[in-house]
Amino acid sequence: MSLSRRSLMQTAVLGSVAALAGAAGSAQAKIKKPLPAQKVSEKRRVLIQSSSHYHTSGYLDFAGEQYEQLYGSTKYEILFIPYAKVAGTYDGYEKQVQDAFKPFGHKIVSIHRFKDPQKAVREASAIAVGGGNTWALVTRMYEAGIIDLIRDRVNGGIPYCGWSAGGNVACPTLRTTNDMPIAEPPSFNTFGFIPFQTNPHFISAAGTSGLNNETREDRLEEFLWYNKDEEVIGLPEGTALFVTGEHDCEVIGPKDAEALYWFRQAEMGMRLERIALGTKFDLRKIVPGGKL
């Protein structure tokens, strides 16, 4: 028996729907384009900060000890990347960061002061990336052609610090940012100074009612369900990861800050472990099945 054209079309449509339904039931992340292998100097120093404030602190004024660990006794002229700023001006953002770093003895110069941003990165002695909207930050860095350059310079040994969005981009991708996607970068790939994702400004909703299943834990569990080869560390306010060399990492922050939240792969959903302040670990341990 031959099928009519309409029957053939209906069969094709039903087959497509069935295939889509089957795919949805066992959804897996698309293969990502991995970052190229990087040569990392033993002199590399990267400070990944959750936030620019801690409790009632002023802007970055709680982070003096963190910057002392990063910069030592050297006073730097730091190239500042303000591209995460959306509601405001780069001039105003530069001034805010200049005022914050002045008590620590460092000079801040924003990249928007330079005609050639790529040359500015090539000649920088230290780099800082500020918070704001991560999507805007990454889009603008791709437009300026500086993502690969910053990655190379920092892996080569110049100190890097980034808070909030500037900490997000230290990960392999921006996918665990809290921000609304107000811009569309050509890739989600970022610097990849660490081999796992972080979530800054992390606040646990445990014991909180009325959130209608829209907690940060819910969102991160969805991320882990979909990305079976990933792990995420939630960074509470004020905390930071201090990376030295190729694999060494230390959890730092104010003495009364929370322990970090390690969101881990589990057979059904995720499980949670905590990483206390002062913990030192090998970056390669933060993988499915890893153990500190």
Side-chain angles (χ1 to χ4, degrees):
M1 181 179 67
S2 61
L3 294 174
S4 68
R5 178 179 175 136
R6 174 175 290 182
S7 297
L8 287 170
M9 290 178 66
Q10 289 174 337
T11 301
V13 169
L14 290 171
S16 298
V17 170
L20 288 171
S26 58
Q28 296 294 318
K30 294 179 181 179
I31 296 175
K32 301 181 290 291
K33 183 179 180 181
L35 293 173
Q38 296 291 309
K39 183 177 180 180
V40 176
S41 168
E42 62 181 13
K43 297 180 180 179
R44 182 174 73 161
R45 289 168 291 158
V46 176
L47 180 63
I48 302 168
Q49 298 173 281
S50 174
S51 57
S52 57
H53 290 87
Y54 181 61
H55 293 331
T56 59
S57 77
Y59 191 77
L60 293 172
D61 64 6
F62 70 93
E65 291 184 3
Q66 297 179 19
Y67 293 137
E68 188 174 339
Q69 282 188 258
L70 176 64
Y71 299 118
S73 60
T74 304
K75 305 305 178 186
Y76 285 90
E77 180 173 302
I78 301 169
L79 180 67
F80 175 57
I81 313 298
Y83 294 159
K85 174 63 72 175
V86 176
T89 67
Y90 291 163
D91 287 353
Y93 199 7
E94 178 189 46
K95 179 63 164 56
Q96 183 181 29
V97 178
Q98 285 173 338
D99 291 344
F101 273 77
K102 188 174 181 180
F104 308 133
H106 304 292
K107 181 180 180 182
I108 293 289
V109 182
S110 175
I111 197 169
H112 80 281
R113 301 290 180 191
F114 297 86
K115 291 183 178 179
D116 186 342
Q118 296 179 19
K119 182 180 179 183
V121 171
R122 291 190 188 99
E123 296 178 353
S125 58
I127 291 174
V129 180
N133 185 280
T134 309
W135 299 87
L137 169 62
V138 174
T139 300
R140 289 163 170 169
M141 289 197 296
Y142 271 110
E143 289 171 350
I146 61 173
I147 284 189
D148 291 343
L149 291 174
I150 292 177
R151 184 187 301 119
D152 290 345
R153 294 299 321 282
V154 174
N155 283 333
I158 72 168
Y160 174 96
C161 76
W163 53 94
S164 189
N168 259 141
V169 294
C171 301
T173 75
L174 58 57
R175 291 170 300 149
T176 48
T177 178
N178 302 309
D179 300 323
M180 187 173 288
I182 64 172
E184 184 178 3
S187 171
F188 287 176
N189 285 353
T190 46
F191 297 138
F193 298 140
I194 54 177
F196 52 86
Q197 294 295 125
T198 65
N199 180 252
H201 305 287
F202 182 81
I203 299 175
S204 175
T208 302
S209 62
L211 294 179
N212 298 317
N213 202 37
E214 290 294 332
T215 69
R216 195 80 61 84
E217 286 96 331
D218 293 327
R219 302 289 76 79
L220 293 177
E221 184 169 22
E222 287 180 345
F223 178 85
L224 293 176
W225 268 102
Y226 197 78
N227 298 280
K228 297 296 186 182
D229 58 343
E230 302 274 4
E231 302 278 282
V232 183
I233 289 183
L235 301 176
E237 299 287 271
T239 62
L241 297 174
F242 181 48
V243 176
T244 54
E246 189 171 5
H247 302 302
D248 294 333
C249 187
E250 181 179 2
V251 179
I252 62 177
K255 293 180 180 179
D256 60 344
E258 277 194 85
L260 308 192
Y261 292 73
W262 183 4
F263 294 93
R264 313 207 58 192
Q265 292 286 350
E267 187 172 339
M268 294 298 292
M270 70 179 185
R271 59 192 175 92
L272 181 64
E273 294 184 15
R274 302 297 295 275
I275 308 177
L277 292 177
T279 301
K280 296 181 179 181
F281 61 90
D282 186 314
L283 291 171
R284 295 168 292 186
K285 301 287 187 177
I286 309 296
V287 294
K291 185 177 181 180
L292 295 185

